[in-house]
Amino acid sequence: MFVAPNGRATLGGLICSYWPTDGNWLYAEVFPVSSLTADVLQLRDECGWGGDYGLCRASTISAGVWISLTAEPSVRTDDPTTAPIPDWLTEALDDAASRVSTWAEPHAATRTAAWWNIADACTQIASQLDIPAILMSSDYIEGYPTDAFSTGAIADLVEEQGTEEWCAWYSYESGRGIYLELFPGAGSTWSSYTSDAILLEVEGASSAAQVPNFMGGEATLATDGTNVVAVSHTDADHAMIAAAVFTALGR
């Protein structure tokens, strides 16, 4: 899968997705406990179904590292909202926890004054964009009509810690949208997801590249050496939109 920037890595976190040709998929998240909020640490192990979609999560702490594994329930139950956590998932969690001491110690990046402040970032960026012209409509919403983007305690964590934010605008009238992801402090890992990318020019950026978008199509990544912005889900000029971000947040 395409490796993209994310605010989890900036906090010392790691995301792994495993998609076998048969059997169970597995999604793992790992963080140093020192980076986590009480909301994450208090997440309960759970397993259940919501309509045709099931999800099981189990987590533990070992040697100062929080490990969470998520998978699909192995069986359905009479109660559609609950299911037993699969034995294989618990065994996988225990196995990972037993090997934490062999890993390099995870730690969050050190915040500097050059990191973007994302507290009011979307409003600042909007002031630099002619959104009606880009969307070809003055009738638009702030947001995006999809549920494909992260929600929950971890998504809240990266926003609260100032390492990830998204800004979006969409017009139902024209069917056009703008989708931005902001990653303060992620510039240090730039080469890990752009080594084979097509390089671009973006005003205000020290480097920019065209990369595959995980939901299809293409995205533009740009960095000032410290922060990263991703522009996607729009057929407007990506470079122009990214440049507006640097103008808005680089002041």
Side-chain angles (χ1 to χ4, degrees), residues 152-198:
I154 296 295
D156 292 342
L157 169 73
V158 292
E159 183 175 351
E160 291 170 8
Q161 298 297 316
T163 61
E164 187 172 327
E165 176 65 291
W166 65 272
C167 306
W169 300 270
Y170 184 84
S171 171
Y172 287 97
E173 181 181 56
S174 66
R176 296 167 67 92
I178 307 168
Y179 190 86
L180 304 175
E181 293 171 284
L182 310 175
F183 306 102
S188 60
T189 56
W190 177 256
S191 61
S192 66
Y193 40 81
T194 57
S195 57
D196 298 322
I198 300 171

